Structure formats: structure tokens, C-alpha cells
Amino acid sequence: MSESNISAVNLDNNLPTETEPEEIIIDRIELDRVIARLTEAIEDGIKTGIKRGLLHLPASDRHLLLIASDIVQKSQKFPNYKLTFYHKGMGEGTNTCAVTFTEI
């Protein structure tokens, strides 16, 4: 298993600022899986003419999805789409995180 240690900043505005940053360990294989899933969702959206799409994953994958959305956005593979990450998915009690992709 390939892992990377990533020091994270406090992304949750509900925590006090004096809270120590959370150490996050990312599995590269899992990150590649999430990147592929996000890429596939965007490609499927483009093929079907979707101007604004949404990908939900379990909340336990929020760090993976956050990093994956940043990598995909910076790759410029989809220059006509803006990606927006949400720590909490749509709908009360869904226990998910999400990325929207919007044609610009």
C-alpha cells in the first residue's frame, strides 16, 4: 500500500483556530480510484450534455475527494468545468461529501 502523509489545515470553520491540524494519511491507490471515478462522472456528463453534475461519496472519503477534485481541476483536463467540493453532501443525514462540476 502506498501512503502519503499530508499535513492539513483546519478546513472545518466550526473548530476553534487553536486546534492542532489533523494529520491525514492518504492511500495513493485509493486516491487514484477516486480521481478515476470523478473523471468518469465528468466525462459521462459531457457525453450526455449535462451542464451541472454532482458526484457523492461516503463522508469517510472526504479527504480523498477533496484532493482528487483539486488534482482534476488543476490538470486542465476539463478546462470548461469548475469543480466545487462540499464537505457535506446534499440532503440531511446523507453522511456524504460531494463535488459539483459546472460548465463555465
Side-chain angles (χ1 to χ4, degrees):
M1 175 169 37
S2 174
E3 295 181 345
S4 300
N5 288 333
I6 299 174
S7 294
V9 296
N10 179 2
L11 297 175
D12 186 350
N13 292 331
N14 296 327
L15 294 176
T17 55
E18 62 273 357
T19 302
E20 289 294 318
E22 176 184 2
E23 182 177 10
I24 301 168
I25 297 174
I26 298 295
D27 181 320
R28 182 61 196 208
I29 294 169
E30 288 298 309
L31 178 60
D32 289 343
R33 177 188 60 81
V34 173
I35 290 170
R37 190 157 175 203
L38 178 58
T39 299
E40 181 181 337
I42 297 168
E43 288 171 344
D44 287 348
I46 291 169
K47 287 177 191 173
T48 57
I50 294 173
K51 305 277 186 209
R52 184 164 190 227
L54 178 70
L55 174 68
H56 278 273
L57 290 180
S60 59
D61 288 340
R62 75 181 186 282
H63 296 124
L64 291 168
L65 189 56
L66 172 64
I67 294 168
S69 65
D70 189 53
I71 289 171
V72 170
Q73 184 75 69
K74 289 179 179 175
S75 76
Q76 289 295 303
K77 184 171 183 173
F78 306 104
N80 296 331
Y81 282 82
K82 179 182 186 273
L83 306 181
T84 305
F85 173 78
Y86 295 91
H87 290 275
K88 294 182 181 177
M90 309 296 180
E92 187 176 330
T94 60
N95 199 27
T96 63
C97 56
V99 168
T100 58
F101 49 96
T102 308
E103 188 174 45
I104 51 177

